[in-house]
Amino acid sequence: GAVVSQHPSRVICKSGTSVKIECRSLDFQATTMFWYRQFPKQSLMLMATSNEGSKATYEQGVEKDKFLINHASLTLSTLTVTSAHPEDSSFYICSASARGFSYGYTFGSGTRLTVV
Amino acid sequence: QKEVEQNSGPLSVPEGAIASLNCTYSDRGSQSFFWYRQYSGKSPELIMFIYSNGDKEDGRFTAQLNKASQYVSLLIRDSQPSDSATYLCALTLTGGGNKLTFGTGTQLKVEL
């Protein structure tokens, strides 16, 4: 149980375009979704926390107008990278937790974004 | 002081040996601690979580928590080459709700 499906796994886009990444909790209701970014050989950096039906809370230094997060239902959260630039190339990973969830936090499989 | 500190490694152990991974933290009020394994190019997968002082065992893995000394460790018995990965220590901070703060990870290499 506790599976989080993340799509796409890899995406290459042109500079200036937007990319949407989806995360779905398949067998539980994810009241909270976390979005992380990981650069090569670095640890996970939390970008934002989204609660179902509420606006996302962004970490310091993360541009909320550039990284749009939507958590419209208990099973789906999306991250849209708008006007992507090469420096946005990274590994983006979502993670989900549910109220009373005692198993820790389940991660999606990640999305490798390359902006050319 | 960093919120979560781990030696980056690499830590090399021979196959069959015990691998000991350590993590120290600065927030004395931290309550929940997690160990994740991350293979290169993949997302982290949860190995264990621990909330109380002492040891918690799950198969070949044992997590140890000492809140007084502010460290948490992970022991891997009978290490296998497939255990070669980066191990991430994560915890919740006081007032941080349920979001996790990660260490930079320790790279483990299990050699034949």
Side-chain angles (χ1 to χ4, degrees), chain A residues 32 34 36 38 43-44 46 49 59 91 93 97 101-110 112, chain B residues 32 34 36 38 41-46 49 51 88 92 97-105:
Chain A
T32 304
F34 303 93
Y36 294 87
Q38 187 176 35
S43 191
L44 282 76
L46 180 65
T49 303
E59 296 297 303
F91 191 45
I93 319 171
S97 77
F101 194 53
S102 61
Y103 302 107
Y105 307 87
T106 301
F107 282 85
S109 55
R112 176 77 57 193
Chain B
S32 306
F34 303 84
Y36 285 87
Q38 186 176 27
K42 303 294 184 182
S43 67
E45 52 182 322
L46 181 66
F49 58 89
Y51 303 144
L88 300 168
T92 54
N98 57 357
K99 66 180 182 181
L100 294 181
T101 298
F102 284 84
T104 53

Side-chain angles (χ1 to χ4, degrees), chain A residues 9-81:
Chain A
S9 58
R10 290 180 179 273
V11 58
I12 300 173
C13 70
K14 291 185 177 180
S15 188
T17 61
S18 296
V19 172
K20 180 183 282 188
I21 301 169
E22 286 191 356
C23 268
R24 293 180 184 272
S25 55
L26 298 185
D27 49 4
F28 68 101
Q29 293 183 327
T31 51
T32 304
M33 280 272 194
F34 303 93
W35 287 93
Y36 294 87
R37 180 167 54 182
Q38 187 176 35
F39 292 107
K41 299 194 183 299
Q42 294 186 24
S43 191
L44 282 76
M45 295 302 296
L46 180 65
M47 298 175 67
T49 303
S50 74
N51 293 297
E52 184 264 337
S54 303
K55 287 185 178 180
T57 301
Y58 291 80
E59 296 297 303
Q60 191 172 8
V62 178
E63 300 174 60
K64 62 180 181 181
D65 294 330
K66 180 172 182 61
F67 299 100
L68 302 178
I69 292 173
N70 184 285
H71 192 165
S73 77
L74 285 170
T75 59
L76 174 65
S77 179
T78 61
L79 166 67
T80 301
V81 182

Side-chain angles (χ1 to χ4, degrees), chain B residues 7-25:
Chain B
N7 189 315
S8 61
L11 172 66
S12 294
V13 299
E15 184 178 7
I18 296 175
S20 178
L21 303 159
N22 299 310
C23 171
T24 58
Y25 60 95

Side-chain angles (χ1 to χ4, degrees), chain B residues 52-83:
Chain B
S52 304
N53 275 327
D55 295 0
K56 180 181 180 182
E57 187 175 317
D58 184 0
R60 296 187 296 114
F61 300 98
T62 298
Q64 299 175 317
L65 175 59
N66 184 322
K67 290 186 179 180
S69 300
Q70 294 174 241
Y71 80 78
V72 56
S73 61
L74 180 69
L75 301 178
I76 306 175
R77 288 180 298 282
D78 188 24
S79 296
Q80 301 297 310
S82 57
D83 294 326

